[in-house]
Amino acid sequence: MANALVNRAATVNQATSYVRFSFSFLRNLSTATPTNNPSTTSSADRPKKPKRKKKKNLFEVAQFLPNWGIGYHMAKTHWNGVSYEITKINLYKDGKHGKAWGLAYKDGLPIADAPKKMSGVHKRCWKYIANFKKAEGSLDQIKKAEESSPNSDVQAA
């Protein structure tokens, strides 16, 4: 009985050694023939393309500004001369979504007196305007100046 167990263990050891030998032979065979085919070169050998920088939505831009960007000017990247001064932000729990209100500016002048809800705040195209320069005078002063100036078309004969 003990003799049968010893013989059985010996045959199992021989079988595993044959399997190991065959795997090592195949491994050596596959790595022993280096080819210089450009289609089979590894991706580490090729020069890497720079990754495209992921654009940010309004809340991802505002999170690094003091007080979540309230009082700062932001605009979409494709806007020219148009921006919003953030007046209120309603932020959702994840910190990347929410609602925002602001005063719209065009060429440094406010478009309206009251803040309005900003559209497209979740789109990934927002930028912070660091050195925003407001035009001289406010919207009320400009309107008064336009009203007080005499118009030649309106004058009676």
Side-chain angles (χ1 to χ4, degrees), residues 91-97:
L91 194 64
Y92 296 162
K93 287 184 180 179
D94 64 353
K96 295 183 180 181
H97 298 90

Side-chain angles (χ1 to χ4, degrees), residues 78-148:
H78 57 274
W79 286 351
N80 292 324
V82 179
S83 67
Y84 275 100
E85 180 182 349
I86 310 297
T87 57
K88 178 183 172 186
I89 287 185
N90 182 5
L91 194 64
Y92 296 162
K93 287 184 180 179
D94 64 353
K96 295 183 180 181
H97 298 90
K99 298 175 185 175
W101 290 263
L103 291 171
Y105 281 80
K106 183 169 184 168
D107 297 326
L109 298 172
I111 296 173
D113 292 333
K116 72 174 200 172
K117 186 176 177 184
M118 298 167 58
S119 62
V121 293
H122 295 121
K123 293 189 176 183
R124 297 194 166 275
C125 59
W126 287 90
K127 65 180 178 180
Y128 162 64
I129 302 175
N131 48 4
F132 181 77
K133 295 184 177 159
K134 293 183 180 179
E136 293 295 322
S138 67
L139 184 63
D140 295 332
Q141 293 173 348
I142 294 169
K143 285 181 181 178
K144 288 178 184 177
E146 289 175 356
E147 291 172 359
S148 65

Side-chain angles (χ1 to χ4, degrees), residues 1-152:
M1 175 99 164
N3 208 6
L5 288 175
V6 170
N7 287 338
R8 182 184 236 177
T11 57
V12 170
N13 285 340
Q14 287 177 347
T16 56
S17 66
Y18 288 131
V19 171
R20 286 184 189 157
F21 177 74
S22 63
F23 282 131
S24 65
F25 176 73
L26 290 173
R27 188 179 317 120
N28 290 335
L29 182 65
S30 66
T31 59
T33 58
T35 60
N36 290 333
N37 190 356
S39 64
T40 60
T41 57
S42 67
S43 62
D45 296 340
R46 289 185 221 141
K48 291 186 177 181
K49 292 181 182 177
K51 284 191 173 182
R52 183 182 295 179
K53 189 176 177 182
K54 187 176 184 181
K55 294 183 179 179
K56 298 181 179 184
N57 68 21
L58 179 95
F59 303 104
E60 291 170 342
V61 174
Q63 72 181 350
F64 296 108
L65 296 172
N67 201 15
W68 279 88
I70 294 178
Y72 291 88
H73 285 264
M74 295 192 203
K76 292 185 179 181
T77 54
H78 57 274
W79 286 351
N80 292 324
V82 179
S83 67
Y84 275 100
E85 180 182 349
I86 310 297
T87 57
K88 178 183 172 186
I89 287 185
N90 182 5
L91 194 64
Y92 296 162
K93 287 184 180 179
D94 64 353
K96 295 183 180 181
H97 298 90
K99 298 175 185 175
W101 290 263
L103 291 171
Y105 281 80
K106 183 169 184 168
D107 297 326
L109 298 172
I111 296 173
D113 292 333
K116 72 174 200 172
K117 186 176 177 184
M118 298 167 58
S119 62
V121 293
H122 295 121
K123 293 189 176 183
R124 297 194 166 275
C125 59
W126 287 90
K127 65 180 178 180
Y128 162 64
I129 302 175
N131 48 4
F132 181 77
K133 295 184 177 159
K134 293 183 180 179
E136 293 295 322
S138 67
L139 184 63
D140 295 332
Q141 293 173 348
I142 294 169
K143 285 181 181 178
K144 288 178 184 177
E146 289 175 356
E147 291 172 359
S148 65
S149 65
N151 291 337
S152 60

